[in-house]
């Protein structure tokens, strides 16, 4: 769904702890049931200590994003398998990811509320002693590149250690609403959620949404909404229609949408007690713990039993209604700073063997697959318009898939990672990209 807004790791800017926040919402240009807000209307001043009139939410828009993982296959001799053309043979795993995103006024309101709630959370982290362990959805902590480097630097510093990286399964989709409510209430020192706190919790946990496919089926893909996904009249008649409306309701007692400005902060608050318990547990063994959203990594003394570590974390996660993605669990042993186990450790898209940092192969395969599909689609479109291949404009292809692009793309990410990590090997990994294009 090109042009739609998807969340980033810097959803909000916790720059003040005032109760009345002039929060300037980011510019969002996607189409929704309401129009994008001009800057003057994105500057919200809301007194979150009282709620004279509850905010009225529009239904969210939803679609399903199909995430693909590319896993290179090995033969009986342990070597990578290749096809006749020399390409790696890969197994593709597809995982549907439901995306829900709020209207423009709702997103601005939720961002302002996140600005209000975040200082409570930051103070709690300082009191808990877990500020250094919670990495995602916080201001000033750096990117996933920096956090991966921090883990690898600690391995080098410790020299002798066992590292276990784990992943929480279906993180946002499994957050228990009652536990989330209790964690937010405890964070602000209340026994129940009233006012804005209750309004946000209710509308994020028991949200309503409209599938974009349903809109297309009823109103057609080519429709003039005058800057919206549909006209106000169509919204009243078809979307909110009394007999056969398109609005769906999330009736489960668990799960929050990933695409709102409050989602990341809510997820962190939900795991506040979990983070404390993990810090206490690894601390007893002289280890360290860090969590980047749903990616967990622990470093323990060399010789620690990996199966025991995984079982303990699984048990603690179960107390919060969460489970681990067992197939994504990874581990490695280091002695004298050198890898002594079979595989390098993987964390946040990188691998480390005690000597060099690389982008993991599946990420490179995903980039190359998208590049091939993108170039192929452009040539097919040109052929349909009877444009010779040598006359096809290459500007968009170069912008999306090469270092020449001005937009953020995989190559810009790889070059940044190479600089932060000090890894010339990453540069070598992507060096042939122009030839491939």
């Amino acid at each position: 769904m090109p042009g739609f807004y998807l969340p980033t790791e810097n959803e909000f800017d916790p720059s003040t702890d005032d109760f009345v926040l002039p929060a300037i919402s980011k510019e969002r240009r996607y189409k929704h049931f309401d129009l994008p807000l001009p800057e003057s209307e994105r500057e919200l001043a809301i007194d979150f200590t009282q709620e004279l009139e509850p905010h009225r939410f529009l239904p969210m828009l939803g679609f399903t994003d199909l995430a693909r993982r590319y896993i290179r296959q090995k033969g009986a001799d342990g070597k990578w398998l290749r096809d006749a053309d020399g390409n790696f043979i890969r197994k593709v795993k597809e995982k549907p990811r439901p995306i829900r995103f709020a209207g423009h006024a709702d997103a601005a309101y939720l961002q302002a509320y996140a600005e209000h709630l975040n200082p409570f959370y930051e103070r709690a982290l300082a009191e808990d002693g877990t500020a250094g362990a919670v990495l995602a959805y916080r201001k000033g902590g750096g990117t996933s590149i920096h956090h991966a480097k921090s883990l690898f630097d600690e391995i080098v510093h410790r020299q002798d250690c066992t590292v276990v990286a784990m992943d929480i399964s279906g993180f946002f989709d499994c957050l228990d609403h009652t536990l989330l409510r209790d964690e937010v209430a405890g964070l602000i020192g209340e026994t129940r959620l009233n006012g804005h706190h209750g309004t946000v919790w209710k509308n994020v946990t028991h949200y309503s949404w409209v599938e974009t496919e349903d809109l297309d089926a009823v109103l057609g893909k080519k429709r003039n909404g005058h800057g919206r996904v549909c006209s106000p009249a169509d919204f009243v008649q078809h979307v909110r229609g009394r007999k056969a409306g398109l609005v769906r309701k999330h009736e489960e007692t668990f799960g929050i949408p990933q695409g709102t400005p409050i989602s990341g902060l809510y997820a962190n608050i939900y795991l506040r007690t979990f983070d404390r318990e993990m810090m206490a547990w690894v601390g007893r063994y002289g280890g360290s713990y860090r969590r980047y959203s749903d990616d967990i990594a622990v470093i323990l003394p060399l010789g620690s039993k990996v199966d025991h570590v995984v079982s303990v974390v699984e048990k603690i996660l179960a107390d919060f209604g969460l489970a681990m993605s067992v197939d994504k669990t990874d581990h490695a042993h280091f002695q004298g700073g050198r890898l002594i186990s079979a595989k390098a450790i993987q964390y946040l898209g990188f691998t480390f063997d005690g000597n060099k940092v690389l982008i993991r192969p599946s990420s490179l395969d995903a980039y190359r697959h998208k590049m091939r599909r993108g170039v192929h689609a452009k040539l097919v479109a040109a052929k349909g318009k009877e444009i010779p291949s040598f006359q096809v404009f290459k500007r968009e292809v170069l912008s999306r898939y090469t270092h020449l692009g001005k937009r953020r793309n995989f190559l810009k990410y790889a070059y940044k990672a190479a600089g932060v990590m000090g890894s010339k090997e990453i540069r070598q990994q992507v060096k042939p990209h122009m030839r491939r294009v």
Side-chain angles (χ1 to χ4, degrees), residues 60-122:
M60 296 184 185
L61 274 176
F63 65 96
T64 299
D65 177 50
L66 196 62
R68 294 182 176 89
R69 287 182 63 208
Y70 298 85
I71 305 171
R72 293 181 182 178
Q73 302 299 294
K74 287 185 177 181
D77 58 358
K79 295 182 179 179
W80 300 117
L81 296 176
R82 296 177 181 266
D83 59 21
D85 296 325
N87 298 314
F88 290 108
I89 296 176
R90 303 162 302 172
K91 180 180 179 181
V92 182
K93 282 191 173 182
E94 295 184 339
K95 179 183 177 181
R97 187 170 65 115
I99 300 296
R100 315 278 183 257
F101 56 103
H104 298 285
D106 297 339
Y109 170 77
L110 290 173
Q111 184 169 332
Y113 174 74
E115 293 272 3
H116 166 68
L117 186 61
N118 195 71
F120 289 92
Y121 179 63
E122 290 294 330

Side-chain angles (χ1 to χ4, degrees), residues 15 35 82 90 96 98 107 117 126 143 163 165 189 203-204 227 265 286 300-302 321 360 373 380 392 395:
S15 57
L35 293 171
R82 296 177 181 266
R90 303 162 302 172
L117 186 61
T143 67
V163 188
N203 283 278
V204 172
L265 179 57
L300 293 165
L302 181 62
R360 67 182 181 185
R373 288 181 61 190
V380 168
V392 175
R395 185 184 300 111

Side-chain angles (χ1 to χ4, degrees), residues 277-297:
E277 292 183 10
M278 285 296 300
M279 285 283 287
W281 179 68
V282 299
R284 289 198 293 270
Y285 300 95
S288 69
Y289 159 77
R290 46 176 54 77
R291 178 179 61 80
Y292 188 92
S293 187
D294 57 355
D295 287 297
I296 298 169

Side-chain angles (χ1 to χ4, degrees), residues 408-422:
R408 293 187 342 189
N409 60 24
F410 181 81
L411 263 298
K412 293 292 182 68
Y413 163 81
Y415 285 164
K416 180 177 181 179
V420 171
M421 297 286 188

Side-chain angles (χ1 to χ4, degrees), residues 367 396-416 433:
Y367 154 69
E396 184 179 359
V397 169
L398 294 175
S399 179
R400 284 189 176 185
Y401 307 115
T402 78
H403 65 289
L404 299 175
K406 294 183 179 180
R407 68 173 73 182
R408 293 187 342 189
N409 60 24
F410 181 81
L411 263 298
K412 293 292 182 68
Y413 163 81
Y415 285 164
K416 180 177 181 179
H433 76 276

Side-chain angles (χ1 to χ4, degrees), residues 89-314:
I89 296 176
R90 303 162 302 172
K91 180 180 179 181
V92 182
K93 282 191 173 182
E94 295 184 339
K95 179 183 177 181
R97 187 170 65 115
I99 300 296
R100 315 278 183 257
F101 56 103
H104 298 285
D106 297 339
Y109 170 77
L110 290 173
Q111 184 169 332
Y113 174 74
E115 293 272 3
H116 166 68
L117 186 61
N118 195 71
F120 289 92
Y121 179 63
E122 290 294 330
R123 285 194 290 271
L125 289 182
E127 294 169 1
D128 297 342
T130 56
V134 183
L135 309 178
Y137 314 120
R138 297 176 61 207
K139 183 185 178 183
T143 67
S144 59
I145 301 171
H146 297 89
H147 296 310
K149 183 178 187 300
S150 174
L151 178 78
F152 303 153
D153 287 346
E154 184 176 344
I155 293 171
V156 173
H157 176 73
R158 284 180 177 259
Q159 293 288 294
D160 301 336
C161 59
T162 291
V163 188
V164 185
M166 295 156 280
D167 185 90
I168 301 174
S169 176
F171 186 30
F172 288 89
D173 298 333
C174 298
L175 301 187
D176 182 272
H177 296 165
T178 302
L179 286 177
L180 175 62
R181 179 199 64 194
D182 294 345
E183 285 287 355
V184 175
L187 183 72
I188 61 177
E190 301 290 344
T191 57
R192 58 184 300 172
L193 297 182
N194 296 313
H196 292 278
H197 299 291
T199 294
V200 172
W201 175 82
K202 179 180 178 182
N203 283 278
V204 172
T205 56
H206 297 90
Y207 59 90
S208 60
W209 85 98
V210 175
E211 286 287 336
T212 54
E213 288 185 356
D214 293 345
L215 276 176
D216 293 342
V218 172
L219 301 177
K221 291 186 177 181
K222 294 183 178 180
R223 55 184 183 270
N224 186 5
H226 301 287
R228 301 175 173 89
V229 291
C230 68
S231 67
D234 284 336
F235 178 81
V236 173
Q237 181 178 353
H238 297 289
V239 178
R240 286 287 197 194
R242 294 182 179 181
K243 291 185 178 180
L246 302 179
V247 179
R248 306 186 189 189
K249 185 75 174 179
H250 182 72
E251 302 286 2
E252 304 287 354
T253 59
F254 53 85
I256 66 173
Q258 297 185 40
T260 78
I262 192 64
S263 298
L265 179 57
Y266 260 4
N268 274 346
I269 293 172
Y270 184 88
L271 287 183
R272 181 189 167 198
T273 302
F274 170 81
D275 292 330
R276 287 202 305 265
E277 292 183 10
M278 285 296 300
M279 285 283 287
W281 179 68
V282 299
R284 289 198 293 270
Y285 300 95
S288 69
Y289 159 77
R290 46 176 54 77
R291 178 179 61 80
Y292 188 92
S293 187
D294 57 355
D295 287 297
I296 298 169
V298 298
I299 300 181
L300 293 165
L302 181 62
S304 300
K305 302 296 183 182
V306 174
D307 290 344
H308 174 67
V309 173
V310 172
S311 65
V312 169
V313 177
E314 282 184 318

